[in-house]
């Protein structure tokens, strides 16, 4: 009697897929691999975009600091220029703070 044989449903489905459904199984695997690749690529792209934004903010902060240093350098350069002109052209000298209270009388 053929009717007394018992087959498990997963076994029957697996056997049918292997016999008659090789192309759909291959296509299903390709779709799943493609979906995982898209999700992974999107995640990495978002991480890189966030990192790029962080680097742009850091670059802007460094640019502002660099401009402030240039301004400070120019201000200090102007001071040393004034000091150089005072010593060379006007023959001015630095005052020693310890000798500041001594008055020379003639």
């Amino acid at each position: 009697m053929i009717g007394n044989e018992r087959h498990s449903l997963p076994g029957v489905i697996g056997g049918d897929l292997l016999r008659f459904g090789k192309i759909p199984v291959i296509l299903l695997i390709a779709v799943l691999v493609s979906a995982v690749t898209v999700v992974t690529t999107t995640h990495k792209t978002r991480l890189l975009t966030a990192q790029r934004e962080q680097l742009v903010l850091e670059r802007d902060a460094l640019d502002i600091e660099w401009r402030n240093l240039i301004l400070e350098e120019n201000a200090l350069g102007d001071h040393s220029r004034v000091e150089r002109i005072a010593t060379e052209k006007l023959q001015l000298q630095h005052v020693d703070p310890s000798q500041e209270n001594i008055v020379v009388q003639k």
Side-chain angles (χ1 to χ4, degrees):
M1 271 173 128
I2 297 176
N4 288 339
E5 291 181 29
R6 294 194 52 106
H7 297 283
S8 68
L9 183 60
V12 171
I13 292 173
D16 285 347
L17 282 176
L18 289 176
R19 252 181 276 141
F20 304 111
K22 290 180 183 173
I23 292 177
V25 169
I26 291 172
L27 291 176
L28 176 65
I29 291 171
V31 166
L32 291 176
V33 168
S34 175
V36 169
T37 304
V38 167
V39 169
T40 304
T41 303
T42 303
H43 178 68
K44 287 181 181 180
T45 302
R46 287 182 180 167
L47 287 177
L48 288 173
T49 302
Q51 183 181 10
R52 181 183 177 277
E53 290 299 320
Q54 182 66 32
L55 289 173
V56 166
L57 291 174
E58 187 176 332
R59 182 195 64 191
D60 290 344
L62 289 172
D63 188 46
I64 290 169
E65 183 180 353
W66 178 75
R67 290 172 192 244
N68 287 338
L69 288 172
I70 293 295
L71 290 173
E72 184 179 345
E73 181 184 34
N74 289 337
L76 292 174
D78 289 343
H79 178 72
S80 59
R81 180 178 162 266
V82 168
E83 185 178 354
R84 183 175 36 84
I85 291 172
T87 54
E88 291 175 1
K89 293 186 178 178
L90 302 174
Q91 285 78 35
L92 296 178
Q93 298 175 357
H94 285 283
V95 176
D96 185 8
S98 63
Q99 301 295 324
E100 189 174 306
N101 292 332
I102 299 176
V103 177
V104 179
Q105 296 182 1
K106 291 186 179 183

